Amino acid sequence: MRVLHVVESFGGGVLSAVLSMVDATPDIEHQLAIWHRRDHADTGDERAAFAAVHVLPGPPRRAARGLRNLVRRVGADLVHAHSSYAGVLARSCDLGAPVAYSPHCFAFERTDLSAVSRTAIREVERSLVRRTDVLVACSPHEGSLGAELGFRRVVTVPNRALHPPQVRVRRGEPFRVVTVGRVTEQKDWRHLVEVKREADRQAAARGAAGLHWEWLGSGDTEGEDALRTAGVEVSGWLPRTEVVARLGAAQAYVHTAAWEGAPVSILEAAAVGLPIVARAIPTLVSDDVPGLEPTVEGQAERLLDLHEPLAWARAHRRSLAFSTDHSVSLQRYRLTTAYRHVPASVRNPREIPRARMDHSSYSDALVR
């Protein structure tokens, strides 16, 4: 089977998710089409994972024509579009191949848009339901939203950390708190600044030492300047190996995003055993992420409580257990199940590897 993945940018969390899918299904040939709509972070991720990498022209009409020609030229059995813009591109024209769609967080969940804009985006998604052969959701929350929109076939395929970590965290001093991602409204750098200020206030009231904060990534100039002014180091874009190394040298991971799909950064932090403190947003609640807190005050308090050795050890064990639950075998089983859910009239079932996994206890409960 030959799958053509379509992404908007070559870098960041979406590509991390795609790379893990490729790694989990070596018996499928994966090719990549990149549509560079905006500035993106090329963090040095390996292109060698794909049988071929193609670049689509920027203007939407030219991109659509280029994608149609590419599908025919490479003989793609399935097009898998990732995130909103690539999803619209792949489903708004007749590609001559079935289309799987992974929103990686529906755009109508964005809290920085007006209610009118979110309603309009929801209607666009609803209008494209019939042009989607299978919705590949990254969390139970996303799967539920897809079912509400009317998608006929929904399979939840969990993200995971791409490679087994070479390090495990150890509790130590100075107590370093890290987060990972693009400095944007979505990752909500303002919320992180508020958490830091509250943590500083609570630490002073306790007579405790302050925390050392670092944002691994880059993005909006305004956000970077505000973070540095608040005392948060901003690293700039780093290769994934360096990100994982810095996660392994930290003592806690904080995640303050206002909306999310299923962030790989949390899974990478959990894989090295970092205690997690995260904002309780719907997708993370649905995925049972450890360390969830709904308020700034609660997030700051949980971070400071991790100074206590037993609390840190408990959180460390919870992170490792959470990482284990997001296994390569589960991802492989769910993804091949998703691809087999493409209607038989538009694909050759013999070309798709039969869904299988190492643990028979998993079922098709999340496949509708």
Side-chain angles (χ1 to χ4, degrees):
M1 182 187 190
R2 181 173 295 130
V3 176
L4 178 65
H5 297 272
V6 184
V7 302
E8 182 192 349
S9 64
F10 192 73
V14 170
L15 185 63
S16 296
V18 177
L19 285 170
S20 72
M21 293 178 183
V22 172
D23 178 71
T25 53
D27 44 358
I28 293 175
E29 179 186 311
H30 298 271
Q31 296 194 25
L32 179 71
I34 308 169
W35 185 29
H36 290 321
R37 284 195 62 262
R38 55 179 170 79
D39 291 339
H40 67 286
D42 189 338
T43 55
D45 292 308
E46 287 293 333
R47 299 184 182 217
F50 300 96
V53 177
H54 315 272
V55 178
L56 299 174
R61 288 187 179 180
R62 289 183 58 201
R65 186 164 55 248
L67 182 58
R68 282 196 300 268
N69 292 338
L70 179 61
V71 169
R72 287 195 295 268
R73 189 168 75 249
V74 305
D77 300 301
L78 177 73
V79 175
H80 191 159
H82 299 268
S83 76
S84 299
Y85 287 108
V88 171
L89 176 70
R91 295 178 295 162
S92 60
C93 55
D94 184 8
L95 296 178
V99 177
Y101 171 46
S102 290
H104 299 285
C105 189
F106 284 107
F108 55 74
E109 291 198 87
R110 290 177 54 171
T111 59
D112 63 333
L113 299 178
S114 68
V116 172
S117 294
R118 292 197 298 272
T119 298
I121 293 170
R122 187 185 294 269
E123 290 310 307
V124 169
E125 287 287 1
R126 200 184 303 276
S127 72
L128 292 171
V129 162
R130 292 188 179 276
R131 301 182 69 90
T132 310
D133 293 287
V134 61
L135 180 77
V136 181
C138 62
S139 71
H141 172 67
E142 189 167 275
S144 295
L145 290 176
E148 291 172 8
L149 286 170
F151 285 94
R152 293 161 293 175
R153 300 173 186 84
V154 180
V155 181
T156 299
V157 178
N159 287 339
R160 64 180 176 90
L162 182 57
H163 298 299
Q166 302 301 311
V167 294
R168 285 284 189 273
V169 295
R170 295 181 179 180
R171 185 179 175 279
E173 298 292 341
F175 198 93
R176 297 181 61 250
V177 177
V178 297
T179 192
V180 176
R182 188 185 298 275
V183 181
T184 58
E185 297 285 344
Q186 186 244 327
K187 295 298 184 182
D188 207 346
W189 53 266
R190 293 183 181 87
H191 190 98
L192 185 130
V193 168
E194 291 180 13
V195 174
K196 183 185 182 302
R197 288 173 177 163
E198 177 63 19
D200 290 345
R201 187 194 67 78
Q202 291 188 22
R206 296 184 185 190
L211 310 176
H212 179 88
W213 297 69
E214 185 175 17
W215 188 301
L216 304 180
S218 185
D220 298 342
T221 300
E222 178 191 1
E224 288 191 24
D225 290 344
L227 287 166
R228 292 189 177 101
T229 298
V232 179
E233 292 185 15
V234 181
S235 70
W237 290 115
L238 302 168
R240 179 176 289 103
T241 53
E242 177 63 18
V243 171
V244 173
R246 295 201 188 192
L247 289 173
Q251 278 71 56
Y253 179 84
V254 63
H255 199 85
T256 59
W259 65 90
E260 275 289 11
V264 175
S265 58
I266 287 181
L267 293 164
E268 290 177 334
V272 300
L274 261 184
I276 295 168
V277 176
R279 189 174 178 179
I281 57 176
T283 188
L284 301 188
V285 172
S286 77
D287 209 22
D288 199 23
V289 172
L292 295 180
E293 287 288 345
T295 66
V296 167
E297 294 77 15
Q299 292 150 24
E301 182 177 4
R302 183 179 286 269
L303 280 168
L304 291 173
D305 287 347
L306 290 173
H307 265 298
E308 200 277 316
L310 288 179
W312 190 93
R314 285 194 296 269
H316 170 68
R317 290 193 295 270
R318 285 190 66 196
S319 289
L320 292 176
F322 177 72
S323 176
T324 300
D325 287 342
H326 290 70
S327 65
V328 62
S329 60
L330 175 57
Q331 187 183 49
R332 178 173 58 249
Y333 172 74
R334 290 281 178 80
L335 186 61
T336 53
T337 295
Y339 289 168
R340 290 188 67 85
H341 268 62
V342 173
S345 60
V346 294
R347 52 84 177 168
N348 181 356
R350 292 174 298 178
E351 292 295 323
I352 304 177
R354 185 167 301 280
R356 64 185 186 279
M357 42 176 316
D358 299 336
H359 306 290
S360 59
S361 59
Y362 290 104
S363 69
D364 291 327
L366 292 180
V367 181
R368 292 185 293 273

